[in-house]
Amino acid sequence: MVRSLVAVAAVVISAASAVPTEGHAFVNLPVGGMLKNRPLPTLDGKRASLLGNAKANLFVFFRPGQDHSLQTLGQLAKLEKEFEGKPVRFTAVTSDSYPRGEVAATAREAGIRMPVLIDEGDALYGELGVSLHPVLGIADERGKLLAYQHFLKINMLDVVRGRIQVALGEIGEAEMARLVEPAAATIDLGNRAGARSRFMLARALLARGNAEKAIENARAGVALDPTFAPVHAILAKALSTTGRCAEAEKEYAEALRIDPRDPTGTEPHGQCIASH
């Protein structure tokens, strides 16, 4: 159905009000949604499920050879030891497109003990709509998504520890908000500059008609700084140009949530809407 993304942006933002304020991580699964718990092959040649029967099931999508992924896995290795003996299960997930040797090297360097699942054909990536690396989720014993968390340059360990403690009932939402706020208030200038560069490149590529490369660069910008509204807006426009309307709606709603003003003058258009 042809419709204006701007007209539905308020609805999407309202629906996202229960989602943590750091930004959308799983395009196809909101907080409160139910995960399908399928077994996947592991790095060591066995099979394991994404989730267990633990009260808090933490799973992280990572990319071998990426600094932020390595830093995140290193932080999780510390939390594995810290929560040992408690009902917490850790799992790492990566695409089967990465060489197994690189995956194993990253896991060793980070010092994680958790199983590493290999997502065959990126089926789980597609099912959840994973677009950031690294990104982690926490689910309860029934498979309900309780929270997700993208990479933070500052305060990552404390924030993830807090999300686990909320799942375990050890702290409340007010305490969790105090942990998130300092991290959200601190913007890494290097990441912001990188996100701005990716935004400008994506905008130029889109103007030349190369929407797929524009999407690739805009996603890279989002990964660098998910709090930079213009890069979400240009990603929405590029996605809309290729007819990926549901993803475009979510990205543009996120841009408006971060900055309620039109962040760049690049409202989504293309196959998704007829006019503004």
Side-chain angles (χ1 to χ4, degrees), residues 6 15 136 160 173 235 251 266:
V6 176
L136 62 86
V160 176
E173 293 296 340
L235 176 55
E251 290 298 331
T266 56

Side-chain angles (χ1 to χ4, degrees), residues 75-130:
Q75 301 279 16
L76 294 181
K78 296 177 182 178
L79 293 176
E80 282 185 298
K81 296 176 183 177
E82 187 175 326
F83 285 96
E84 189 171 8
K86 293 191 175 185
V88 181
R89 182 176 185 266
F90 294 84
T91 308
V93 185
T94 193
S95 169
D96 68 349
S97 63
Y98 302 124
R100 299 292 177 93
E102 291 183 18
V103 174
T106 298
R108 283 196 304 270
E109 186 175 353
I112 57 174
R113 298 179 295 179
M114 66 188 77
V116 177
L117 307 186
I118 307 300
D119 187 16
E120 294 179 309
D122 293 337
L124 186 57
Y125 270 78
E127 183 178 305
L128 299 183
V130 178

Side-chain angles (χ1 to χ4, degrees), residues 13 229 252 254-263:
I13 292 172
Y252 194 61
E254 181 63 8
L256 291 179
R257 186 195 66 76
I258 296 169
D259 184 355
R261 302 165 297 174
D262 176 15

Side-chain angles (χ1 to χ4, degrees), residues 155-176:
N155 211 31
M156 180 75 173
L157 182 66
D158 292 336
V159 170
V160 176
R161 180 191 293 113
R163 295 211 182 281
I164 294 172
Q165 289 175 316
V166 169
L168 296 178
E170 295 179 354
I171 67 172
E173 293 296 340
E175 292 170 281
M176 185 67 235

Side-chain angles (χ1 to χ4, degrees), residues 34-227:
M34 299 300 293
L35 286 150
K36 296 176 182 177
N37 192 22
R38 301 191 188 92
L40 294 173
T42 62
L43 185 59
D44 59 4
K46 301 177 182 177
R47 293 185 76 82
S49 297
L50 179 68
L51 310 175
N53 295 319
K55 194 170 184 180
N57 293 277
L58 184 148
F59 55 96
V60 58
F61 288 85
F62 74 98
R63 178 181 294 165
Q66 183 198 47
D67 287 343
H68 289 174
S69 287
L70 182 60
Q71 291 174 41
T72 298
L73 291 176
Q75 301 279 16
L76 294 181
K78 296 177 182 178
L79 293 176
E80 282 185 298
K81 296 176 183 177
E82 187 175 326
F83 285 96
E84 189 171 8
K86 293 191 175 185
V88 181
R89 182 176 185 266
F90 294 84
T91 308
V93 185
T94 193
S95 169
D96 68 349
S97 63
Y98 302 124
R100 299 292 177 93
E102 291 183 18
V103 174
T106 298
R108 283 196 304 270
E109 186 175 353
I112 57 174
R113 298 179 295 179
M114 66 188 77
V116 177
L117 307 186
I118 307 300
D119 187 16
E120 294 179 309
D122 293 337
L124 186 57
Y125 270 78
E127 183 178 305
L128 299 183
V130 178
S131 59
L132 301 177
H133 288 89
V135 63
L136 62 86
I138 299 177
D140 65 14
E141 61 271 22
R142 297 175 300 143
K144 178 181 177 181
L145 183 65
L146 302 176
Y148 55 69
Q149 182 63 55
H150 59 68
F151 176 79
L152 296 172
K153 189 92 171 183
I154 305 295
N155 211 31
M156 180 75 173
L157 182 66
D158 292 336
V159 170
V160 176
R161 180 191 293 113
R163 295 211 182 281
I164 294 172
Q165 289 175 316
V166 169
L168 296 178
E170 295 179 354
I171 67 172
E173 293 296 340
E175 292 170 281
M176 185 67 235
R178 285 194 289 271
L179 290 172
V180 171
E181 189 173 349
T186 305
I187 297 174
D188 182 85
L189 296 180
N191 284 1
R192 174 55 58 88
R196 184 177 287 109
S197 295
R198 290 287 189 167
F199 158 72
M200 294 175 67
L201 180 56
R203 185 170 60 180
L205 287 164
L206 189 59
R208 294 200 295 266
N210 194 338
E212 291 301 330
K213 278 292 183 182
I215 290 169
E216 179 182 322
N217 280 276
R219 289 199 194 282
V222 168
L224 282 168
D225 187 355
T227 68

